[in-house]
């Protein structure tokens, strides 16, 4: 314990300590061999502590920015990044796994529609890295290449599937007749991370809220849908990850579909071309902010209200247009009857 206190004092010195004590702690640290610091201390730190320790001294900055430390943290947080495709792309990004962690944690939330810098060229592909966790333990990881230059992708609504057709992810959660109770349990137990990496722009972003913002049954199919959402483009666009679950009463819940879409406040699903452009701006200028569950649900509900208001406004406009059309037709009929002498 005494040694541990010395390490903590050396790595994270108290700002209220006298200068002589700070110097003594730093001297203790400098006297140790870098291999000892690396093997016995730095490999046990989490990302926040490691980043803080890097600011202590030039030596600590050099030691705390080593690629193997951040690779270990990233792959422990997101097992999908162990995939050879992800590893190859990350190796081309300056800063490697440290940059990926900085971009992907916490999730992307919002950004200005006005570019903060000239936009990078459209990428030939995006790398999608998906991780699903049940009660904090990873149960599914998948990395996919998304070809973004195909005509069908650019012109079609953006829709990315994480699972293959007929693929299912088992969970240990049991279907019960008390629907409200197990829906709440599913919402609390199932979490998702969806990282998008731009190999051209050398940036990444996590476009899924870590916790679910809503769990519900589909009004038609009665399948269970768990939604995760992040706000993009200052409340004008939302990125939604939908996890669809199935099963029978008494049996286990299994995940059947996991997909990503982007919608605006008019409930229009963005095309692939529009979605990629927004993702790129988000990666470059987006705010990475960790929100609690209540705040994330409030943002989702607010966006849902905006979509509802837009839908109602559109309905009123269409109703007014129909009324004007009917009135115009009636007046035209009266006019022709008058000309005919009736």
């Amino acid at each position: 314990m005494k040694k541990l206190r010395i390490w903590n004092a050396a790595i994270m010195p108290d700002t209220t300590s006298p200068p002589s004590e700070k110097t003594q702690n730093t001297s203790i640290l400098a006297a140790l061999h870098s291999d000892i610091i690396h093997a016995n201390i730095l490999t046990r730190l989490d990302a926040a502590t490691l980043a803080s320790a890097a600011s202590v001294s030039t030596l600590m900055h050099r030691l705390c920015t080593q690629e193997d430390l951040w690779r270990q943290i990233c792959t422990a947080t997101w097992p999908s990044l162990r995939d050879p495709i992800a590893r190859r792309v990350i190796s081309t990004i300056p800063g490697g796994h440290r940059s990926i962690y900085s971009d992907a944690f916490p999730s992307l939330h919002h950004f200005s529609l006005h570019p903060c810098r000239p936009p990078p060229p459209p990428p030939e592909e995006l790398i999608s890295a998906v991780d699903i966790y049940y009660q904090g333990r990873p149960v599914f990881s998948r990395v996919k290449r998304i070809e973004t230059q195909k005509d069908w992708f650019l012109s079609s609504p953006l829709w990315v599937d994480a699972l293959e057709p007929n693929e299912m992810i088992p969970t240990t959660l049991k279907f019960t007749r008390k629907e409200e109770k197990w829906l709440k349990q599913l919402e609390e137990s199932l979490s998702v991370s969806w990282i998008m990496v731009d190999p051209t722009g050398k940036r990444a972003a996590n476009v899924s809220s870590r916790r679910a913002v809503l769990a519900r049954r589909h009004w038609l199919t009665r399948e269970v849908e768990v939604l995760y959402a992040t706000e993009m483009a200052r409340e004008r666009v939302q990125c939604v990850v939908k996890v669809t679950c199935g099963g029978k009463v008494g049996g286990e819940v299994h995940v059947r579909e996991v997909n990503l879409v982007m919608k605006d406040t008019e409930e229009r699903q963005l095309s692939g071309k529009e979605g990629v452009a927004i993702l790129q701006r988000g990666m470059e200028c987006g705010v990475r902010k960790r929100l609690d569950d209540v705040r994330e649900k409030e943002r989702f509900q607010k966006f849902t209200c905006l979509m509802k208001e837009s839908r109602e406004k559109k309905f009123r406009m269409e109703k007014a247009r129909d009324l004007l059309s009917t009135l115009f037709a009636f007046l035209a009929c009266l006019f022709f009857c008058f000309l005919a002498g009736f």
Side-chain angles (χ1 to χ4, degrees):
M1 291 297 294
K2 183 177 180 181
K3 290 183 177 180
L4 182 58
R5 286 195 295 270
I6 293 174
W7 285 120
N8 289 337
I11 293 177
M12 298 293 292
D14 185 1
T15 55
T16 62
S17 301
S20 58
E21 187 175 337
K22 295 180 185 178
T23 304
Q24 182 183 4
N25 291 334
T26 306
S27 300
I28 294 173
L29 186 62
L32 297 172
H33 195 282
S34 59
D35 291 344
I36 296 177
I37 299 174
H38 182 278
N40 294 282
I41 301 297
L42 301 183
T43 55
R44 302 181 184 184
L45 301 181
D46 59 20
T49 309
L50 191 63
S52 297
S55 63
V56 171
S57 65
T58 304
L59 170 64
M60 288 302 299
H61 183 272
R62 178 173 59 82
L63 294 177
C64 292
T65 55
Q66 292 184 27
E67 175 67 4
D68 65 308
L69 293 173
W70 288 97
R71 184 190 305 114
Q72 176 182 326
I73 290 173
C74 283
T75 53
T77 307
W78 305 294
S80 60
L81 298 186
R82 297 176 184 144
D83 187 279
I85 296 175
R87 291 171 59 185
R88 187 162 52 251
V89 171
I90 293 173
S91 68
T92 67
I93 297 176
H97 286 83
R98 184 164 58 95
S99 295
I100 289 294
Y101 193 93
S102 176
D103 277 350
F105 185 86
S107 300
L108 179 68
H109 278 281
H110 65 81
F111 59 91
S112 172
L113 286 175
H114 302 290
C116 56
R117 58 179 61 90
E124 294 184 359
E125 65 177 7
L126 291 174
I127 304 300
S128 162
V130 182
D131 292 285
I132 299 177
Y133 311 81
Y134 181 72
Q135 294 182 341
R137 296 187 299 271
V139 295
F140 172 83
S141 298
R142 177 67 52 78
V143 171
K144 280 189 173 183
R145 280 194 173 101
I146 305 171
E147 296 182 347
T148 59
Q149 295 297 316
K150 301 289 186 180
D151 290 339
W152 64 266
F153 176 85
L154 295 172
S155 58
S156 302
L158 178 66
W159 181 288
V160 183
D161 284 309
L163 302 185
E164 300 296 337
N166 302 320
E167 185 178 7
M168 292 190 299
I169 305 171
T171 71
T172 57
L173 180 63
K174 298 287 185 180
F175 262 109
T176 65
R177 295 188 182 277
K178 296 181 179 180
E179 181 170 301
E180 184 177 346
K181 180 179 179 180
W182 72 260
L183 273 178
K184 183 67 175 176
Q185 186 177 353
L186 183 63
E187 180 181 319
E188 293 175 349
S189 301
L190 203 65
S191 55
V192 175
S193 167
W194 196 311
I195 299 175
M196 302 293 284
V197 183
D198 176 7
T200 303
K202 311 297 184 184
R203 297 301 300 269
N206 199 328
V207 295
S208 171
S209 57
R210 178 76 177 195
R211 309 291 295 183
V213 294
L214 180 66
R216 67 188 181 190
R217 278 195 179 273
H218 190 273
W219 65 273
L220 180 61
T221 64
R222 304 304 296 166
E223 290 182 318
V224 177
E225 297 177 340
V226 187
L227 303 183
Y228 305 80
T230 55
E231 175 190 302
M232 307 177 77
R234 294 272 182 200
E235 301 179 354
R236 299 190 185 184
V237 177
Q238 191 173 64
C239 190
V240 180
V241 175
K242 182 173 69 174
V243 177
T244 305
C245 303
K248 297 180 179 179
V249 174
E252 293 182 345
V253 177
H254 53 262
V255 177
R256 298 178 55 184
E257 292 181 7
V258 183
N259 54 62
L260 179 148
V261 298
M262 295 179 70
K263 294 182 178 181
D264 62 16
T265 52
E266 296 182 356
E267 295 188 277
R268 182 180 65 90
Q269 191 169 331
L270 272 61
S271 67
K273 182 178 181 179
E274 294 170 320
V276 169
I278 286 180
L279 279 173
Q280 282 189 291
R281 289 203 297 272
M283 291 175 187
E284 288 289 329
C285 311
V287 175
R288 276 78 172 173
K289 188 175 182 181
R290 189 169 189 172
L291 302 178
D292 57 34
D293 298 349
V294 174
R295 182 61 176 153
E296 286 185 337
K297 289 181 180 181
E298 287 177 351
R299 283 177 176 248
F300 176 75
Q301 291 168 0
K302 182 179 180 181
F303 194 88
T304 302
C305 289
L306 290 174
M307 288 195 296
K308 182 179 179 181
E309 291 173 2
S310 177
R311 182 169 62 248
E312 291 175 349
K313 181 179 179 181
K314 186 183 296 184
F315 175 77
R316 290 194 298 267
M317 291 179 63
E318 290 177 351
K319 189 175 180 180
R321 187 163 52 246
D322 291 342
L323 181 62
L324 288 174
S325 298
T326 302
L327 180 61
F328 178 79
F330 177 72
L331 292 175
C333 181
L334 288 179
F335 178 73
F336 283 117
C337 288
F338 175 76
L339 292 180
F342 288 101

